[in-house]
Amino acid sequence: MSFLSAIAVISLAVMFPVLLLLRKSGAPGVGSFILACVFSTLCAGAGLASTATPPWFNAVVGSTLMVAASLAALNGFREFLGRRPLGSTLLVATLACTMIVLGVFIQVFENPEPSFAFSGALAGLVYFITGVTILRHWSGQKAIAPYVLFCWLSALAVAALHAIRVLGVATDLGSGIEPQIWATALVAARHLMMPLFLLGVVLLLHGWVIANLRHLIAHDELTGALSRRAFMAECERMSNAAAGFGRQTAFMLLDLDRFKQINDQHGHAGGDAALGHFTRIVKQTLAGRGFLGRLGGEEFGIVLTGVGRPEAIALAEAICSAVRTTPASNGKGRAIPLTVSIGIAIAEPGGALADLMMQADLALYEAKATGRDRLSIANSLEAASAASARALAGAAAQMRAAAMAVTSAQPLSSVG
């Protein structure tokens, strides 16, 4: 079986540098998985050298390394799933006791199979616990679901393999099979299952890294809201889906009032704190009913489907109230009062998204012009042509730029 041991050693050795590279990604549990790979490689190496070493070496040292690999893998998954890892004292004590028991077995029994059965039972129990840990504490992230399922099945398969081996020693399981074939099948499965299990671990960590990169790309770093690009893509998707089901699409444009004053009075750190606080308040009020995106500066957007005019108005009023009554903190014990102006537009099924956003922009400008800390809802898209909407949007943009220029030249107390 030396060629199977060689295959296992080569497979595990190839995974080792990959795991080392993944360590730089900050993925939780990588250090423990690296140890599991090292112990598994040494265990396979002990099997490869079994023809040149005394029988007790593989039965004691190789089996202890196998148990060590299983414990390291369990710790890796506990860390990956946000659980507290097993303490080093417990791990060292377990491995020391395992080695002592295996040494006693070798002295008592002339056949090393009882030693392999004991270590296999212990390793199988650890892998079974690993499978249960994965099942109980997995957060349900869809991006890595296939890899988590693969690791869970692999852990249970390794546990079942060790259980079969133990039963084969304790009972007549496999008695109807040629002993050499039975032993060869078990050894082959044991050598090949560990590389397969660790391959699942590598795929899981790669999937986690890719999912996190996609999240970083799709979300604004400061506020956690969707980035402008991701938000627009979500708007297109929801608008098309709503049109297919004959539902309305609601778009809200939100703008923090007097944000320049916040930056001037509390510094950019205070402004950043205000933006983060504002985003959390809006998300809590939304409660998963729509998507929030940061369009730039202090301007945000919300898109919802299947929401009519009354529901959109009620939600916007709730956001205005929540922002008004929950001031932010500048981190130095000073409160930062916030208010928000909201422009709302409702599109009937099949309405153009660009026109919907123009209508919301005009409504926002109206809310700003009539006193801020309020909402304004645009007329239906049928009430004005697209050309008129574009003209009004252009005029609103020019008026807003002029207002900003005047604001920057006035004292803070007079900024409106």
Side-chain angles (χ1 to χ4, degrees):
M1 304 302 295
S2 60
F3 72 98
L4 289 175
S5 298
I7 292 174
V9 170
I10 293 171
S11 301
L12 293 166
V14 168
M15 294 180 198
F16 181 71
V18 177
L19 288 170
L20 282 178
L21 290 174
L22 285 170
R23 190 174 186 178
K24 298 179 180 179
S25 69
V30 176
S32 294
F33 288 131
I34 290 175
L35 283 178
C37 183
V38 171
F39 289 141
S40 297
T41 305
L42 293 175
C43 177
L48 182 62
S50 60
T51 56
T53 56
W56 64 265
F57 182 82
N58 193 29
V60 176
V61 177
S63 296
T64 303
L65 287 168
M66 178 178 66
V67 175
S70 67
L71 290 171
L74 172 60
N75 248 5
F77 275 104
R78 288 183 65 86
E79 294 170 19
F80 184 81
L81 298 170
R83 314 302 298 173
R84 180 181 298 176
L86 303 176
S88 57
T89 302
L90 175 62
L91 296 177
V92 171
T94 301
L95 294 177
C97 292
T98 300
M99 183 170 285
I100 292 171
V101 171
L102 292 173
V104 171
F105 275 26
I106 282 294
Q107 294 296 324
V108 173
F109 301 101
E110 295 181 359
N111 189 349
E113 279 302 315
S115 298
F116 289 130
F118 173 77
S119 60
L122 185 55
L125 176 61
V126 174
Y127 280 111
F128 178 76
I129 294 173
T130 300
V132 173
T133 302
I134 294 172
L135 187 63
R136 287 185 59 190
H137 301 296
W138 176 47
S139 60
Q141 294 175 275
K142 293 182 180 179
I144 59 173
Y147 310 120
V148 173
L149 177 62
F150 184 86
C151 290
W152 176 66
L153 292 174
S154 298
L156 295 183
V158 175
L161 173 64
H162 286 298
I164 291 172
R165 187 175 187 183
V166 173
L167 290 174
V169 174
T171 66
D172 293 330
L173 183 66
S175 58
I177 306 174
E178 178 67 30
Q180 186 63 31
I181 297 176
W182 175 254
T184 301
L186 286 180
V187 173
R190 181 170 66 88
H191 281 306
L192 297 178
M193 279 305 300
M194 276 311 299
L196 189 64
F197 174 72
L198 286 172
L199 174 62
V201 169
V202 170
L203 293 175
L204 173 67
L205 296 175
H206 267 291
W208 182 90
V209 171
I210 292 172
N212 275 269
L213 287 174
R214 287 177 175 171
H215 183 272
L216 288 174
I217 293 171
H219 290 78
D220 176 62
E221 183 178 2
L222 175 62
T223 63
L226 289 176
S227 65
R228 181 183 182 91
R229 181 176 181 178
F231 178 73
M232 296 306 296
E234 192 64 38
C235 287
E236 288 285 353
R237 185 192 67 80
M238 292 183 66
S239 178
N240 293 335
F245 287 100
R247 296 176 179 173
Q248 292 178 315
T249 300
F251 183 82
M252 299 184 187
L253 201 56
L254 300 82
D255 192 90
L256 271 175
D257 297 326
R258 302 177 177 89
F259 187 68
K260 184 180 182 301
Q261 289 188 24
I262 294 175
N263 275 332
D264 290 342
Q265 293 176 3
H266 301 278
H268 288 289
D272 290 347
L275 288 172
H277 174 82
F278 170 75
T279 305
R280 289 190 294 273
I281 294 298
V282 174
K283 284 183 176 180
Q284 290 172 8
T285 309
L286 276 177
R289 287 175 287 180
F291 288 92
L292 173 69
R294 185 182 182 191
L295 303 182
E298 68 274 22
E299 193 169 76
F300 294 78
I302 294 175
V303 61
L304 312 97
T305 58
V307 174
R309 186 185 181 100
E311 296 89 348
I313 292 175
L315 179 58
E317 288 176 343
I319 292 173
C320 285
S321 175
V323 172
R324 183 189 315 116
T325 57
T326 314
S329 171
N330 68 351
K332 299 179 181 178
R334 291 183 60 190
I336 305 176
L338 301 176
T339 60
V340 62
S341 300
I342 304 177
I344 307 172
I346 309 292
E348 296 301 324
L353 180 61
D355 291 339
L356 179 68
M357 296 178 71
M358 288 180 199
Q359 293 272 342
D361 189 58
L362 291 172
L364 174 63
Y365 183 79
E366 181 181 357
K368 289 281 189 182
T370 54
R372 296 180 173 83
D373 187 20
R374 65 190 62 203
L375 65 92
S376 177
I377 187 162
N379 295 326
S380 64
L381 293 179
E382 289 81 2
S385 66
S388 300
R390 291 189 182 92
L392 289 171
Q398 291 178 1
M399 293 173 70
R400 184 177 299 168
M404 289 179 64
V406 171
T407 297
S408 63
Q410 292 178 343
L412 293 180
S413 59
S414 64
V415 176

